[in-house]
Amino acid sequence: MVRKAVVVGINYVSNGRMLRGACADAYSWEQLLAGDLGFAPSRIRTLTDEDREGFARQGPAENLPTHEAIVAALEWLVEGAAPGDVIVFVFAGFATQVLDPMKHDKEPVDTGLAPCDFREFDYLVPYRILSDEFVHEIFAKVPSGVLITCIFDTCHSTNLVRTGVRWDSQSPGRIVHNIPLPIRDAPEEFDSRTWVRNQHVHAIPRRLPFEPQRPLWSHATGCLQPRVTRDLANVGVFVFSACSDQQTALEAVIHERPTGVLSYCLRTALALVGKRVTYSELFAKAVEIVGEMRKRMPFMDQYFQLTYNENAQPDSSVFLNESSTQGLRVR
């Protein structure tokens, strides 16, 4: 049994340091994984654009969270995966919606993660984004019997990996069908009060400040190679997302340190309840902690989401524990 993790934190240093706490979140997750959660340091790949002292990171390009480096790290993460393995992907940074003028308003919104070089051209496309289609297909390569856990401390992340069930902490029950947000329901503007009225904690939205648009010519390639979403029912998938696609994920200064609200609440929950906790218990505790934070940040509109596929059992599966792979159906 192998336990592997990819941890990405991006403050966008080369773009004027647009965030303050994403790299610190990445280092905290790396420390937690290698410590209490028992991952071998050699099995953790951490990509950041700041070092631990807060300076722009220097060194090999493969250690920076560029588009190319993140793709390579995720390919490494799923390479050689076998039944009983546990794999983890943590991302702290910007996500975005990708506008598509050719899509019908009933079709799902395209979303993606922004690497540190998102402003560079990707061939003829004037931006670099790790699309939801790419992220899902990476994990669709994994064979039966593997436990996949993603932690997305960013906006627009509930359908980066297509799962069947969504537990919305804003609602009392669990939504059976986790359907991607249709274009007609996508907000044209987000409530800026969520960060403007929370400047006493230096709140910053973890959303790309502009929405890239898909080039019209790119639809020609889509006609030649239709998009197909492969099923993930043969593995166990859990995805913690900072908010729904209509809300804003924040980072804020908490205990004199900038951090993503989701990362802070999950790490605090683990410290309080211990590492041998089910996904349901961990999620519920994190929701309880953020509920207390709302008293100090009343304009915060983010509500944590836990999405998972029908093969996963959040009430009995232990967080990042290989024992949770034993109940997975192998097809």
Side-chain angles (χ1 to χ4, degrees), residues 136-137 139-140 162 229-235 309 331:
H136 179 90
E137 285 302 310
F139 292 111
R162 299 284 193 264
T229 301
R230 287 191 285 175
D231 188 15
L232 287 172
N234 59 332
V235 295
N309 63 342
R331 302 190 304 182

PDB file of all heavy atoms in Angstrom, residues 136-137 139-140 162 229-235 309 331:
ATOM      1  N   HIS A 136     -10.341  16.050 -13.546  1.00  0.00           N
ATOM      2  CA  HIS A 136     -11.141  14.830 -13.435  1.00  0.00           C
ATOM      3  C   HIS A 136     -10.472  13.659 -14.150  1.00  0.00           C
ATOM      4  O   HIS A 136     -10.400  12.549 -13.608  1.00  0.00           O
ATOM      5  CB  HIS A 136     -12.529  15.065 -14.020  1.00  0.00           C
ATOM      6  CG  HIS A 136     -13.410  13.846 -13.960  1.00  0.00           C
ATOM      7  ND1 HIS A 136     -14.220  13.578 -12.881  1.00  0.00           N
ATOM      8  CD2 HIS A 136     -13.570  12.810 -14.827  1.00  0.00           C
ATOM      9  CE1 HIS A 136     -14.858  12.430 -13.092  1.00  0.00           C
ATOM     10  NE2 HIS A 136     -14.474  11.948 -14.261  1.00  0.00           N
ATOM     11  N   GLU A 137      -9.977  13.906 -15.361  1.00  0.00           N
ATOM     12  CA  GLU A 137      -9.380  12.823 -16.134  1.00  0.00           C
ATOM     13  C   GLU A 137      -8.103  12.284 -15.483  1.00  0.00           C
ATOM     14  O   GLU A 137      -7.785  11.107 -15.635  1.00  0.00           O
ATOM     15  CB  GLU A 137      -9.095  13.295 -17.560  1.00  0.00           C
ATOM     16  CG  GLU A 137     -10.343  13.411 -18.417  1.00  0.00           C
ATOM     17  CD  GLU A 137     -11.093  12.085 -18.517  1.00  0.00           C
ATOM     18  OE1 GLU A 137     -10.455  11.060 -18.831  1.00  0.00           O
ATOM     19  OE2 GLU A 137     -12.313  12.074 -18.268  1.00  0.00           O
ATOM     20  N   PHE A 139      -7.680  11.771 -12.307  1.00  0.00           N
ATOM     21  CA  PHE A 139      -8.090  10.795 -11.300  1.00  0.00           C
ATOM     22  C   PHE A 139      -8.886   9.645 -11.904  1.00  0.00           C
ATOM     23  O   PHE A 139      -9.007   8.583 -11.282  1.00  0.00           O
ATOM     24  CB  PHE A 139      -8.868  11.503 -10.191  1.00  0.00           C
ATOM     25  CG  PHE A 139      -8.008  12.434  -9.381  1.00  0.00           C
ATOM     26  CD1 PHE A 139      -8.179  13.801  -9.450  1.00  0.00           C
ATOM     27  CD2 PHE A 139      -6.999  11.934  -8.579  1.00  0.00           C
ATOM     28  CE1 PHE A 139      -7.371  14.663  -8.728  1.00  0.00           C
ATOM     29  CE2 PHE A 139      -6.176  12.787  -7.851  1.00  0.00           C
ATOM     30  CZ  PHE A 139      -6.360  14.158  -7.927  1.00  0.00           C
ATOM     31  N   ALA A 140      -9.403   9.848 -13.118  1.00  0.00           N
ATOM     32  CA  ALA A 140     -10.075   8.738 -13.803  1.00  0.00           C
ATOM     33  C   ALA A 140      -9.093   7.658 -14.227  1.00  0.00           C
ATOM     34  O   ALA A 140      -9.496   6.541 -14.559  1.00  0.00           O
ATOM     35  CB  ALA A 140     -10.845   9.265 -15.014  1.00  0.00           C
ATOM     36  N   ARG A 162     -15.655  15.106 -10.850  1.00  0.00           N
ATOM     37  CA  ARG A 162     -17.078  14.806 -10.949  1.00  0.00           C
ATOM     38  C   ARG A 162     -17.454  13.700  -9.962  1.00  0.00           C
ATOM     39  O   ARG A 162     -17.037  12.552 -10.106  1.00  0.00           O
ATOM     40  CB  ARG A 162     -17.440  14.379 -12.371  1.00  0.00           C
ATOM     41  CG  ARG A 162     -17.167  15.433 -13.424  1.00  0.00           C
ATOM     42  CD  ARG A 162     -18.214  16.535 -13.397  1.00  0.00           C
ATOM     43  NE  ARG A 162     -18.117  17.357 -14.593  1.00  0.00           N
ATOM     44  CZ  ARG A 162     -17.452  18.504 -14.657  1.00  0.00           C
ATOM     45  NH1 ARG A 162     -16.807  18.944 -13.603  1.00  0.00           N
ATOM     46  NH2 ARG A 162     -17.432  19.209 -15.787  1.00  0.00           N
ATOM     47  N   THR A 229     -16.626  12.262 -20.165  1.00  0.00           N
ATOM     48  CA  THR A 229     -16.253  12.217 -18.761  1.00  0.00           C
ATOM     49  C   THR A 229     -16.304  10.779 -18.272  1.00  0.00           C
ATOM     50  O   THR A 229     -17.376  10.161 -18.248  1.00  0.00           O
ATOM     51  CB  THR A 229     -17.201  13.089 -17.913  1.00  0.00           C
ATOM     52  OG1 THR A 229     -17.146  14.439 -18.386  1.00  0.00           O
ATOM     53  CG2 THR A 229     -16.787  13.055 -16.444  1.00  0.00           C
ATOM     54  N   ARG A 230     -15.161  10.247 -17.904  1.00  0.00           N
ATOM     55  CA  ARG A 230     -15.104   8.853 -17.457  1.00  0.00           C
ATOM     56  C   ARG A 230     -15.595   8.721 -16.019  1.00  0.00           C
ATOM     57  O   ARG A 230     -15.445   9.625 -15.203  1.00  0.00           O
ATOM     58  CB  ARG A 230     -13.670   8.332 -17.581  1.00  0.00           C
ATOM     59  CG  ARG A 230     -13.258   8.082 -19.017  1.00  0.00           C
ATOM     60  CD  ARG A 230     -11.943   7.327 -19.075  1.00  0.00           C
ATOM     61  NE  ARG A 230     -10.807   8.183 -18.755  1.00  0.00           N
ATOM     62  CZ  ARG A 230      -9.564   7.735 -18.643  1.00  0.00           C
ATOM     63  NH1 ARG A 230      -9.296   6.455 -18.790  1.00  0.00           N
ATOM     64  NH2 ARG A 230      -8.575   8.581 -18.373  1.00  0.00           N
ATOM     65  N   ASP A 231     -16.139   7.561 -15.727  1.00  0.00           N
ATOM     66  CA  ASP A 231     -16.733   7.295 -14.424  1.00  0.00           C
ATOM     67  C   ASP A 231     -15.657   7.081 -13.362  1.00  0.00           C
ATOM     68  O   ASP A 231     -14.587   6.549 -13.634  1.00  0.00           O
ATOM     69  CB  ASP A 231     -17.615   6.049 -14.547  1.00  0.00           C
ATOM     70  CG  ASP A 231     -18.441   5.796 -13.306  1.00  0.00           C
ATOM     71  OD1 ASP A 231     -18.549   6.716 -12.480  1.00  0.00           O
ATOM     72  OD2 ASP A 231     -18.978   4.685 -13.169  1.00  0.00           O
ATOM     73  N   LEU A 232     -15.970   7.503 -12.122  1.00  0.00           N
ATOM     74  CA  LEU A 232     -15.064   7.290 -10.986  1.00  0.00           C
ATOM     75  C   LEU A 232     -15.687   6.354  -9.953  1.00  0.00           C
ATOM     76  O   LEU A 232     -15.261   6.342  -8.805  1.00  0.00           O
ATOM     77  CB  LEU A 232     -14.735   8.629 -10.310  1.00  0.00           C
ATOM     78  CG  LEU A 232     -13.799   9.573 -11.063  1.00  0.00           C
ATOM     79  CD1 LEU A 232     -13.734  10.915 -10.364  1.00  0.00           C
ATOM     80  CD2 LEU A 232     -12.410   8.974 -11.172  1.00  0.00           C
ATOM     81  N   ALA A 233     -16.662   5.564 -10.349  1.00  0.00           N
ATOM     82  CA  ALA A 233     -17.402   4.749  -9.392  1.00  0.00           C
ATOM     83  C   ALA A 233     -16.590   3.597  -8.822  1.00  0.00           C
ATOM     84  O   ALA A 233     -16.966   2.998  -7.828  1.00  0.00           O
ATOM     85  CB  ALA A 233     -18.675   4.204 -10.050  1.00  0.00           C
ATOM     86  N   ASN A 234     -15.463   3.261  -9.422  1.00  0.00           N
ATOM     87  CA  ASN A 234     -14.682   2.117  -8.957  1.00  0.00           C
ATOM     88  C   ASN A 234     -13.644   2.484  -7.909  1.00  0.00           C
ATOM     89  O   ASN A 234     -12.858   1.650  -7.488  1.00  0.00           O
ATOM     90  CB  ASN A 234     -13.993   1.436 -10.143  1.00  0.00           C
ATOM     91  CG  ASN A 234     -13.077   2.397 -10.889  1.00  0.00           C
ATOM     92  OD1 ASN A 234     -13.301   3.602 -10.894  1.00  0.00           O
ATOM     93  ND2 ASN A 234     -12.056   1.872 -11.542  1.00  0.00           N
ATOM     94  N   VAL A 235     -13.609   3.758  -7.488  1.00  0.00           N
ATOM     95  CA  VAL A 235     -12.681   4.204  -6.451  1.00  0.00           C
ATOM     96  C   VAL A 235     -13.472   4.962  -5.393  1.00  0.00           C
ATOM     97  O   VAL A 235     -14.663   5.218  -5.549  1.00  0.00           O
ATOM     98  CB  VAL A 235     -11.576   5.114  -7.039  1.00  0.00           C
ATOM     99  CG1 VAL A 235     -10.696   4.359  -8.011  1.00  0.00           C
ATOM    100  CG2 VAL A 235     -12.180   6.349  -7.701  1.00  0.00           C
ATOM    101  N   ASN A 309     -18.208  10.326  -4.272  1.00  0.00           N
ATOM    102  CA  ASN A 309     -18.928   9.464  -5.202  1.00  0.00           C
ATOM    103  C   ASN A 309     -19.711   8.405  -4.429  1.00  0.00           C
ATOM    104  O   ASN A 309     -19.536   8.232  -3.216  1.00  0.00           O
ATOM    105  CB  ASN A 309     -17.981   8.838  -6.232  1.00  0.00           C
ATOM    106  CG  ASN A 309     -16.957   7.923  -5.589  1.00  0.00           C
ATOM    107  OD1 ASN A 309     -16.712   7.976  -4.390  1.00  0.00           O
ATOM    108  ND2 ASN A 309     -16.342   7.073  -6.398  1.00  0.00           N
ATOM    109  N   ARG A 331     -14.206  -3.589  -9.498  1.00  0.00           N
ATOM    110  CA  ARG A 331     -14.942  -4.073 -10.663  1.00  0.00           C
ATOM    111  C   ARG A 331     -13.988  -4.584 -11.724  1.00  0.00           C
ATOM    112  O   ARG A 331     -12.855  -4.158 -11.773  1.00  0.00           O
ATOM    113  CB  ARG A 331     -15.788  -2.932 -11.251  1.00  0.00           C
ATOM    114  CG  ARG A 331     -16.790  -2.342 -10.227  1.00  0.00           C
ATOM    115  CD  ARG A 331     -17.756  -1.401 -10.886  1.00  0.00           C
ATOM    116  NE  ARG A 331     -17.060  -0.348 -11.587  1.00  0.00           N
ATOM    117  CZ  ARG A 331     -17.664   0.641 -12.224  1.00  0.00           C
ATOM    118  NH1 ARG A 331     -18.978   0.686 -12.231  1.00  0.00           N
ATOM    119  NH2 ARG A 331     -16.985   1.575 -12.849  1.00  0.00           N
TER     120      ARG A 331
END
